[in-house]
Amino acid sequence: MNCIEFSDVSFKYPPVEGDVDENGRQIEPSFVFDHFTGGIPAGFTSLIGPNGSGKSTFLLLASGRLCPQNGKCRLFEQDILHLPEEQKNLLASVIYQNMEFESNDKVYALLQFVYEHGALKGNAQSVRGKEKDLLAEVIEVFELGGVLQHGLKELSKGEIQRVLLAFSLLYGSASVFMDEPMFAMEPTQKENSLAYLKEYAAKTNVAFFISMHELDLTRKYAENVILFYPNRDMDYGTPEEVMTDEALEKAYGVPVSMLKNGEDMTREELVQSADAILAMQNAESSAEQKK
């Protein structure tokens, strides 16, 4: 049984007011998904691909946070979009990219509240068995001990991301959707967090769908991968099946050696670098022809 089912789904974002072409006509965004049908099983799945290829939109549609213009998105065989808010949250927790908070409540009080008012009702065993329960364990794993009495507004970006990871587990949803959840964290924190999330998924059968920029982390931790192409095509399979040099070069539009050595670069920077390499090659070719 598939965890996520898209049936004839079409979706595009509304036009941006003031975004006009050279003739003053309103620019209409193109479809991110156009009559798309497909299914993805549960598991520990990483979403990879260049910016703008549809990863975030896929996560938001699958979790019922965006409404398609056509078709249906089902999660665990339920029409997630039209469920009451509490039922929707119990089926799917979502960590959005670069989330911000207005509240300055203390971290520990918020962790307790989420733990006690979600599906777990404040009572879940730790995954690794080193702590008495899940709350104590996630505080240790995500290195939150030093910020428990801090308000949310006092936290750094990396600390906020670690608190969000804790929230997503303590609520106890059947699935968790994460859009670049570790972008501001230190490398060792990313590794430790992913190792724990994968262990948590295996022991609780919670489905994880994580959009990640770092390809090496996907290779190391993901059970399965969805590779998004700029033309909206997708490949699904194990990292070994999907993340071939040929597929990655097709998706990102640059030599795979650049991806391996510069994963902290944006797609725009990668494209600029690729253009520079192409220009150099053309110049060299012209020089050879003149000889």
Side-chain angles (χ1 to χ4, degrees):
M1 180 186 75
N2 286 324
C3 171
I4 297 170
E5 287 281 359
F6 280 37
S7 300
D8 198 30
V9 170
S10 296
F11 177 84
K12 67 177 179 178
Y13 290 97
V16 177
E17 186 176 353
D19 191 7
V20 297
D21 63 19
E22 58 185 13
N23 296 315
R25 292 185 296 241
Q26 176 70 54
I27 295 175
E28 290 288 334
S30 59
F31 279 95
V32 182
F33 295 100
D34 191 6
H35 297 285
F36 170 66
T37 295
I40 302 294
F44 197 75
T45 303
S46 175
L47 285 66
I48 61 172
N51 292 339
S53 57
K55 302 186 300 295
S56 298
T57 306
F58 180 92
L59 292 172
L60 294 174
L61 286 167
S63 61
R65 270 58 177 189
L66 280 180
C67 177
Q69 282 88 15
N70 184 77
K72 284 189 177 182
C73 305
R74 299 179 68 83
L75 184 64
F76 297 113
E77 300 187 318
Q78 298 194 55
D79 185 357
I80 180 74
L81 179 68
H82 297 105
L83 291 176
E85 198 66 23
E86 183 176 354
Q87 284 183 255
K88 184 183 296 185
N89 291 335
L90 289 172
L91 269 189
S93 288
V94 180
I95 294 182
Y96 301 93
Q97 192 175 46
N98 212 10
M99 291 176 73
E100 295 183 357
F101 297 92
E102 294 298 324
S103 168
N104 203 33
D105 291 342
K106 304 301 182 188
V107 169
Y108 188 70
L110 290 170
L111 292 172
Q112 276 191 312
F113 182 86
V114 170
Y115 189 34
E116 292 171 0
H117 290 81
L120 301 179
K121 303 302 180 187
N123 182 26
Q125 292 183 343
S126 63
V127 169
R128 293 176 172 171
K130 296 179 181 179
E131 301 288 348
K132 291 183 178 179
D133 73 354
L134 185 63
L135 176 58
E137 185 167 77
V138 299
I139 288 172
E140 179 187 356
V141 169
F142 298 127
E143 301 178 20
L144 300 176
V147 300
L148 293 178
Q149 298 308 317
H150 292 188
L152 281 181
K153 290 184 179 180
E154 302 171 49
L155 303 183
S156 68
K157 289 281 189 182
E159 289 166 346
I160 288 175
Q161 294 306 117
R162 301 202 307 273
V163 169
L164 289 172
L165 291 175
F167 284 166
S168 69
L169 302 189
L170 292 172
Y171 192 77
S173 301
S175 61
V176 182
F177 294 80
M178 300 180 170
D179 192 2
E180 299 289 353
M182 302 172 196
F183 74 97
M185 293 165 57
E186 298 295 327
T188 55
Q189 293 171 339
K190 293 179 182 181
E191 294 262 0
N192 292 339
S193 296
L194 283 167
Y196 181 73
L197 292 176
K198 186 172 183 178
E199 188 175 352
Y200 180 95
K203 292 186 177 179
T204 62
N205 292 320
V206 171
F208 281 80
F209 299 91
I210 307 177
S211 172
M212 287 199 292
H213 180 70
E214 295 92 341
L215 300 182
D216 285 345
L217 293 180
T218 289
R219 285 192 183 92
K220 186 172 181 179
Y221 293 103
E223 293 176 347
N224 291 295
V225 177
I226 310 174
L227 174 58
F228 289 71
Y229 294 90
N231 67 353
R232 313 306 187 196
D233 285 346
M234 285 178 269
D235 288 339
Y236 174 82
T238 66
E240 294 76 19
E241 292 169 337
V242 172
M243 299 176 70
T244 64
D245 288 356
E246 180 182 2
L248 293 174
E249 289 181 356
K250 179 182 175 183
Y252 288 90
V254 297
V256 74
S257 59
M258 293 176 64
L259 292 172
K260 291 177 179 177
N261 296 326
E263 290 184 350
D264 59 335
M265 299 170 70
T266 65
R267 172 165 171 76
E268 290 74 21
E269 290 170 331
L270 287 168
V271 171
Q272 289 171 8
S273 298
D275 289 343
I277 291 172
L278 182 59
M280 289 174 61
Q281 291 173 340
N282 289 338
E284 291 172 357
S285 176
S286 297
E288 287 294 326
Q289 289 175 359
K290 289 178 181 179
K291 290 179 182 179

